[in-house]
């Protein structure tokens, strides 16, 4: 791994030796489109009517909104959320360089930074996604830790699963310029992708739906396949208590969820979709990472409300 970083620096003549793949997600705000990979600044692209894509600027820091970081050059969370009412775009980003390890950025139209708030977490962790309610940004502080010493001292992948680090879900009030996060202890595991979150009108509880995996060893969720399942958490912002957490469907292994975009920002989604995943074993011959192959061979529709339908296609 160290050799690859060194080669990147020589090849491209830069100290930002983390390769700018920008292959994780696309995000739109106003008329500007970003291609994202969470451990580098994004690339801005344009699409014309014929479908042709051109790069406007690679490694864009959005007029100074993205702070510089060694090796990676900076970061912006891979999966942000757009509030369908206000139009605000919210991203949760992470770093392993120095605390605070997590940052919440709120953008107005066309990626104009409105606020940036550092969030204190005990250890640097991989926060791949987030969720949004009317009043809170939902932070996923699960123990997929990032230790640079693994890479520099052991030449290993820096991300590993450390269940002893504990797992928490954070609710950060929106509209503040300092860290006022409410933390809720939950069972350990890995949550890379959230479906959505909302505040129940009847009692003010925050409900989160996401896909959760529980690795059986320290090997990174990324290096070795661990199945994910649909889970639900109910959190009480008044008491700070985790009211419940449960697996809603232990029968279908899934990844890459989605639901209607209008549900972000506090509108409940009656259903959600995911890709059905199956391990096909390993080790793979052509690739060193990951060691296991995964087959995505179907789409499942989950009912999140009692009167919604569930289908597997």
């Amino acid at each position: 791994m160290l050799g690859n970083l060194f080669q990147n620096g020589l090849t491209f003549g830069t100290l930002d030796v983390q390769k700018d793949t920008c292959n994780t997600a696309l995000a739109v705000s106003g008329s500007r489109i970003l291609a994202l990979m969470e451990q580098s600044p994004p690339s801005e692209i344009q699409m014309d009517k014929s479908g042709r894509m051109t790069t406007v600027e690679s490694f864009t820091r959005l007029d100074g909104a993205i702070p510089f970081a060694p090796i990676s050059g900076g970061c912006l969370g891979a999966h942000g959320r757009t509030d369908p009412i206000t139009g605000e775009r919210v991203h949760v980003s992470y770093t392993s360089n120095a605390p605070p390890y997590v940052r919440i950025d709120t953008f107005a139209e066309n990626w104009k930074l409105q606020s940036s708030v550092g969030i204190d977490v005990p250890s640097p962790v991989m926060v791949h996604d987030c969720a949004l309610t009317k009043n809170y940004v939902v932070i996923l502080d699960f123990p997929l830790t990032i230790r640079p010493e693994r890479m520099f001292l052991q030449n290993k992948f820096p991300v590993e699963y450390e269940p002893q680090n504990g797992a928490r879900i954070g609710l950060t009030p929106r509209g503040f310029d300092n860290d006022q996060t409410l933390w809720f202890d939950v069972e350990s595991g890995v949550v890379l992708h959230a479906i959505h979150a909302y505040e129940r009108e009847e009692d003010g509880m925050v409900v989160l739906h996401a896909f959760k995996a529980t690795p059986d060893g320290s090997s990174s969720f990324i290096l070795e396949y661990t199945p994910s399942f649909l889970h639900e958490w109910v959190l009480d912002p008044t008491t700070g208590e985790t009211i419940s957490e449960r697996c809603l469907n232990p029968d279908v292994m899934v990844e890459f969820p989605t639901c209607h975009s209008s549900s972000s920002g506090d509108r409940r989604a009656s259903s959600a979709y995911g890709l059905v995943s199956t391990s096909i074993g390993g080790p793979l011959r052509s690739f060193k990472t990951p060691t296991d192959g995964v087959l995505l061979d179907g789409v499942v529709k989950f009912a999140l409300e009692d009167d919604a339908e569930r289908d597997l296609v």
Side-chain angles (χ1 to χ4, degrees):
M1 178 168 286
L2 289 175
N4 291 336
L5 293 176
F6 182 72
Q7 185 62 47
N8 287 344
L10 290 179
T11 302
F12 300 105
T14 179
L15 295 177
D16 302 335
V17 294
Q18 170 72 45
K19 187 177 181 181
D20 175 20
T21 55
C22 288
N23 61 358
T24 305
L26 296 174
V28 179
S29 180
S31 60
R32 300 175 68 183
I33 307 172
L34 298 183
L36 300 159
M37 193 281 278
E38 64 211 55
Q39 279 300 285
S40 72
S43 289
E44 184 175 354
I45 62 174
Q46 284 184 340
M47 301 289 294
D48 62 25
K49 293 182 179 179
S50 69
R52 181 183 177 184
M53 184 187 74
T54 56
T55 300
V56 177
E57 182 183 6
S58 61
F59 252 59
T60 178
R61 293 194 170 85
L62 299 177
D63 302 317
I66 301 175
F68 172 80
I71 300 179
S72 68
C75 61
L76 183 65
H79 297 293
R81 303 284 166 149
T82 300
D83 188 315
I85 304 300
T86 67
E88 292 176 326
R89 181 78 185 177
V90 178
H91 281 252
V92 176
S93 307
Y94 64 91
T95 180
S96 59
N97 296 316
Y101 296 118
V102 174
R103 186 183 82 244
I104 297 177
D105 295 325
T106 302
F107 297 91
E109 189 177 35
N110 285 318
W111 301 104
K112 302 300 182 184
L113 184 66
Q114 287 184 321
S115 66
S116 183
V117 180
I119 306 298
D120 289 320
V121 295
S123 302
V125 292
M126 182 177 175
V127 185
H128 186 69
D129 200 354
C130 63
L132 200 63
T133 75
K134 179 180 180 181
N135 294 301
Y136 300 103
V137 179
V138 181
I139 301 175
L140 306 171
D141 181 15
F142 285 78
L144 202 57
T145 61
I146 308 170
R147 311 285 189 190
E149 58 268 25
R150 293 177 185 139
M151 181 173 61
F152 291 112
L153 301 180
Q154 305 173 42
N155 198 25
K156 294 171 56 179
F157 196 67
V159 181
E160 288 187 358
Y161 178 58
E162 289 187 69
Q164 66 274 17
N165 201 58
R168 306 182 302 169
I169 295 174
L171 300 181
T172 303
R174 296 173 61 183
F176 290 87
D177 58 4
N178 60 341
D179 183 3
Q180 300 187 28
T181 305
L182 308 172
W183 290 107
F184 300 80
D185 292 329
V186 295
E187 295 178 4
S188 191
V190 173
V191 177
L192 287 188
H193 296 114
I195 298 173
H196 78 142
Y198 64 91
E199 298 166 43
R200 289 198 309 219
E201 293 183 1
E202 58 269 28
D203 56 14
M205 303 291 179
V206 173
V207 180
L208 169 67
H209 291 116
F211 291 169
K212 176 186 171 183
T214 306
D216 58 5
S218 63
S219 294
S220 166
F221 177 88
I222 299 170
L223 293 178
E224 294 185 4
Y225 175 73
T226 304
S228 298
F229 301 91
L230 173 64
H231 279 68
E232 177 189 80
W233 294 261
V234 179
L235 314 172
D236 187 344
T238 302
T239 65
E241 181 182 0
T242 301
I243 301 302
S244 66
E245 52 181 314
R246 56 179 178 149
C247 180
L248 296 183
N249 191 314
D251 301 319
V252 183
M253 298 183 294
V254 283
E255 256 306 337
F256 306 115
T258 189
C259 64
H260 198 286
S261 59
S262 66
S263 67
S264 181
D266 221 25
R267 294 183 178 178
R268 298 168 71 150
S270 61
S271 60
Y273 295 87
L275 294 182
V276 180
S277 60
T278 305
S279 173
I280 58 175
L284 300 178
R285 294 182 178 180
S286 301
F287 303 96
K288 294 182 179 179
T289 303
T291 58
D292 298 340
V294 178
L295 177 66
L296 303 174
D297 59 353
V299 177
V300 62
K301 180 182 179 183
F302 288 113
L304 301 178
E305 301 284 351
D306 290 340
D307 57 350
E309 296 180 354
R310 172 194 176 279
D311 297 298
L312 183 63
V313 295

